[in-house]
């Protein structure tokens, strides 16, 4: 077979067992396109990347959560290593949580497990506005008013400003939400305001989680 420039044959492959560049390019294009697409989405604020998340998830529990202006959609967090982490974003304009507990466990050499526990809202509910939670697990007993399930994530309009996902992705929203016996595992939380009545933070040895 007649060879072209730089040792390439007419098929675009390199002989002598070297890399087949045309095949490599075909395989590489989807990955490059995906990376570029995610970069554009990050620039447009479509991904949950307001800050680099840590390498540890934390747990949150509450006897009840009530909120106005609820939206939920899939998104992606980014850590300091620029790794992408899929999450479900729950966004609420105004929220109240009773008996809030937050915990995270860190394993250290020699010392072992260290637990950080934060509690608040035992008497007066914790109040939050423009609340965003990037979670991987959520459970409880939920009730909604005027819920819309299966709405395009880019068209959400009941949650806080900026609570929208990427076009064509599944999402849901409602006028109000109530969850009792809330249990949640998350990578990140951010809010416009966060008022914690009766705040108490404690660090202790061993594993002591909210649930």
């Amino acid at each position: 077979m007649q060879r072209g420039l730089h040792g390439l044959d007419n098929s675009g492959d390199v002989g002598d067992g070297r890399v087949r560049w045309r095949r490599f390019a075909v395989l590489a294009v989807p990955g490059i396109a995906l990376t570029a697409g995610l970069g554009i989405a990050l620039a447009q604020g479509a991904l949950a990347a307001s800050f680099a998340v840590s390498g540890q998830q934390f747990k949150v529990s509450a006897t009840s959560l009530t909120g106005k202006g609820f939206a939920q959609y899939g998104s992606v967090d980014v850590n300091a290593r620029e790794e992408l982490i899929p999450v479900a974003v729950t966004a609420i304009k105004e929220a109240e949580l009773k008996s809030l507990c937050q915990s995270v466990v860190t394993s250290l050499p020699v010392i072992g497990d260290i637990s950080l526990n934060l509690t608040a809202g035992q008497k007066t509910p914790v109040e939050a506005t423009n609340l965003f939670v990037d979670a991987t697990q959520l459970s409880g007993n939920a009730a909604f008013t005027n819920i819309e399930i299966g709405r395009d994530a880019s068209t959400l309009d009941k949650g806080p400003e900026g609570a929208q996902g990427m076009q064509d992705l599944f999402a849901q929203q409602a006028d109000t939400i109530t969850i009792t016996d809330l249990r949640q595992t998350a990578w990140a939380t951010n809010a416009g305001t966060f008022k914690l009545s009766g705040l108490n933070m404690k660090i202790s040895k061993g594993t002591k989680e909210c649930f």
Side-chain angles (χ1 to χ4, degrees):
M1 182 178 292
Q2 190 175 17
R3 302 224 176 233
L5 296 176
H6 306 297
L8 290 173
D9 60 31
N10 292 336
S11 69
D13 293 347
V14 175
D16 303 325
R18 286 178 287 170
V19 177
R20 300 180 182 274
W21 291 106
R22 178 173 292 177
R23 294 182 185 177
F24 171 80
V26 170
L27 292 173
V29 166
I32 294 171
L34 176 61
T35 301
L38 288 172
I40 293 171
L42 283 168
Q44 294 176 343
L47 302 188
S50 58
F51 56 85
V53 301
S54 74
Q56 295 176 278
Q57 294 191 77
F58 56 92
K59 292 185 176 182
V60 177
S61 68
T63 55
S64 69
L65 177 153
T66 58
K68 298 178 181 178
F70 162 81
Q72 190 173 63
Y73 53 95
S75 191
V76 178
D77 279 341
V78 181
N79 63 21
R81 295 185 178 85
E82 298 187 353
E83 297 169 333
L84 303 178
I85 303 169
V87 295
V89 177
T90 298
I92 305 174
K93 280 186 178 180
E94 300 177 14
E96 288 190 352
L97 301 97
K98 294 181 180 179
S99 299
L100 173 69
C101 174
Q102 179 178 301
S103 65
V104 61
V105 179
T106 301
S107 295
L108 299 175
V110 182
I111 298 176
D113 290 343
I114 299 294
S115 297
L116 184 152
N117 289 77
L118 179 153
T119 58
Q122 303 297 328
K123 295 181 179 179
T124 302
V126 171
E127 298 178 3
T129 62
N130 298 327
L131 176 68
F132 289 78
V133 181
D134 302 350
T136 56
Q137 177 271 332
L138 184 152
S139 65
N141 304 305
F144 306 87
T145 59
N146 297 323
I147 190 168
E148 300 173 354
I149 300 174
R151 181 161 177 150
D152 187 298
S154 68
T155 69
L156 294 171
D157 58 8
K158 291 188 176 183
E161 183 178 353
Q164 294 179 333
M166 297 180 68
Q167 186 175 344
D168 297 329
L169 292 188
F170 173 92
Q172 56 186 359
Q173 64 177 7
D175 289 343
T176 67
I177 178 174
T178 300
I179 303 177
T180 58
D181 298 324
L182 172 67
R183 301 288 185 272
Q184 189 166 243
T185 305
W187 285 104
T189 297
N190 62 282
T193 62
F194 206 43
K195 299 179 180 179
L196 296 97
S197 175
L199 172 64
N200 182 41
M201 187 181 73
K202 184 178 181 181
I203 296 178
S204 56
K205 293 187 66 175
T207 301
K208 297 178 183 179
E209 298 181 287
C210 297
F211 62 91

